[in-house]
Amino acid sequence: MTTPIRKAVFPVAGLGTRFLPATKVMPKEMLTVVDKPVIQHVVDEARLAGIEEFIFVTGPNKGVIEDHFKQQIHLEQVLKDSGKENELKALQASQLAPECVKFTLQETPLGLGHAVWCARELVGDEPFALLLPDVLVQSTGKTCLAQLIEVYGDTGGNVIAVEEVAAENTHQYGIVDIERSKTDNHLIRGMVEKPSQGTAPSNLIIMGRYLLQPEIFKILDAKERGAGGEIQITDAMIRLLESQPFTAVEYEGRSFDCGSKVGYQLANTSFALARNNLRDELREELRKLL
Ligand code: UTP
């Protein structure tokens, strides 16, 4: 029996410099994809995977994220009074029960590994999910995180979602070296963060969804700097791989890197095209535009 995955960590303390000036006061995780902030899409993915506790690692000026998940009593009342039932439902669906939400502060953005380390006390001694909020995944069936949890039920250990990219782009990502199986799940032999061009062991990238064992925190305690002078989660996972198994899952779905301008625009278009009430009009307009 594997220990259930009950908690998820959302690191939202980055500076979002690629989106300045939009992110001067507005956290990039609050930028909108169709009609929900990016972070809401990711929280919904976790909810659908059965996550019960939501841990946000925030930075200074990220209070608006905290506000977003709270009940807005006055606004609810206004919608009730004016009979706006659908709007009220959408508002209420965005809320998280206060006892399920935890916040912790990463005062300085020293890297993703450091952001995860900041959640160590809230996670405690149990395996947890890690979702990078600037990556959105569109799946036709189960959410990406739900797919990982299903695999974890069989394998235990650590499980990470991977996907293929063109060989010339591997230097931008964390890359896995795998023992390729006949299924979509492969045992990981090694990992490398941002390998120099032409040296990547595969073209499978670590795309932003992880299930990790709590021993990762002991490794992150060392606060070792890696690529770009940042404390990297991939470096800590490489150390953990010495004592624990890691499974790579080629999940069903398509990811969008909302931290990049093109990825963000594509996410908006693709998520809008998936909506019955927007698809036809948008398709027509896009055809004209292109
Ligand atoms: P990114 O490196 O994509 O985010 O981190 P960033 O640094 O905000 O982006 P740019 O390059 O300046 O535009 C991936 C996720 O990890 C979080 C970010 O908020 C983002 O959601 N993160 C990153 C932290 O919480 N703390 C960090 O120290 C670094």
Side-chain angles (χ1 to χ4, degrees):
M1 264 294 275
T2 50
T3 312
I5 307 284
R6 300 184 312 116
K7 300 182 180 182
V9 174
F10 304 87
V12 291
L15 299 177
T17 53
R18 284 170 289 173
F19 270 93
L20 284 169
T23 49
K24 193 172 157 190
V25 289
M26 172 68 85
K28 74 170 176 184
E29 297 82 7
M30 287 300 292
L31 297 175
T32 313
V33 168
V34 189
D35 51 10
K36 290 196 263 183
V38 170
I39 186 70
Q40 174 86 58
H41 286 275
V42 183
V43 162
D44 289 347
E45 177 186 339
R47 272 205 278 215
L48 285 168
I51 293 298
E52 295 164 12
E53 197 172 311
F54 304 81
I55 300 168
F56 297 89
V57 182
T58 65
N61 303 328
K62 301 266 181 164
V64 66
I65 296 179
E66 211 163 330
D67 291 343
H68 175 77
F69 290 106
K70 281 186 190 151
Q71 191 181 5
Q72 302 291 341
I73 295 170
H74 177 69
L75 183 53
E76 277 190 22
Q77 197 55 52
V78 171
L79 294 176
K80 263 182 213 152
D81 293 347
S82 50
K84 295 196 165 172
E85 299 270 322
N86 290 339
E87 290 80 355
L88 182 63
K89 266 192 219 146
L91 183 69
Q92 287 170 336
S94 72
Q95 284 158 208
L96 290 171
E99 66 277 13
C100 301
V101 191
K102 303 273 158 48
F103 291 90
T104 185
L105 186 67
Q106 183 193 29
E107 281 182 18
T108 316
L110 298 178
L112 180 57
H114 182 255
V116 174
W117 177 81
C118 291
R120 68 200 178 285
E121 279 167 15
L122 292 173
V123 172
D125 191 24
E126 60 181 285
F128 63 99
L130 168 64
L131 296 97
L132 298 199
D134 48 5
V135 178
L136 291 192
V137 189
Q138 220 173 13
S139 309
T140 48
K142 288 189 175 149
T143 69
C144 180
L145 191 67
Q147 295 174 50
L148 296 194
I149 290 177
E150 196 168 273
V151 172
Y152 167 82
D154 293 332
T155 62
N158 303 271
V159 180
I160 55 185
V162 298
E163 68 183 44
E164 275 187 19
V165 295
E168 62 270 25
N169 294 330
T170 49
H171 65 287
Q172 300 167 25
Y173 302 94
I175 305 291
V176 292
D177 180 17
I178 55 160
E179 271 172 38
R180 194 169 275 285
S181 78
K182 286 188 185 129
T183 71
D184 289 331
N185 313 328
H186 319 282
L187 207 59
I188 296 182
R189 278 194 295 240
M191 289 174 252
V192 53
E193 182 63 31
K194 299 190 177 67
S196 44
Q197 212 121 28
T199 66
S202 76
N203 58 350
L204 290 174
I205 65 162
I206 301 169
M207 51 63 74
R209 300 290 184 268
Y210 316 68
L211 303 179
L212 296 171
Q213 295 294 325
E215 286 75 19
I216 196 86
F217 295 121
K218 279 194 211 99
I219 296 168
L220 288 167
D221 273 341
K223 300 203 180 76
E224 271 169 32
R225 308 264 178 160
E230 295 194 345
I231 301 169
Q232 300 282 357
I233 192 72
T234 308
D235 293 339
M237 294 196 298
I238 292 168
R239 287 284 315 284
L240 191 56
L241 184 61
E242 292 166 13
S243 55
Q244 291 188 7
F246 273 74
T247 306
V249 178
E250 288 188 272
Y251 67 96
E252 178 280 311
R254 164 155 197 194
S255 76
F256 298 91
D257 175 9
C258 292
S260 85
K261 286 178 188 143
V262 171
Y264 175 69
Q265 299 307 328
L266 282 175
N268 259 298
T269 308
S270 190
F271 277 73
L273 285 171
R275 296 270 183 97
N276 291 337
N277 58 343
L278 299 176
R279 186 181 303 118
D280 293 346
E281 192 183 342
L282 182 60
R283 199 179 271 161
E284 198 45 46
E285 291 300 327
L286 283 174
R287 209 169 275 137
K288 285 186 216 159
L289 198 65
L290 293 168

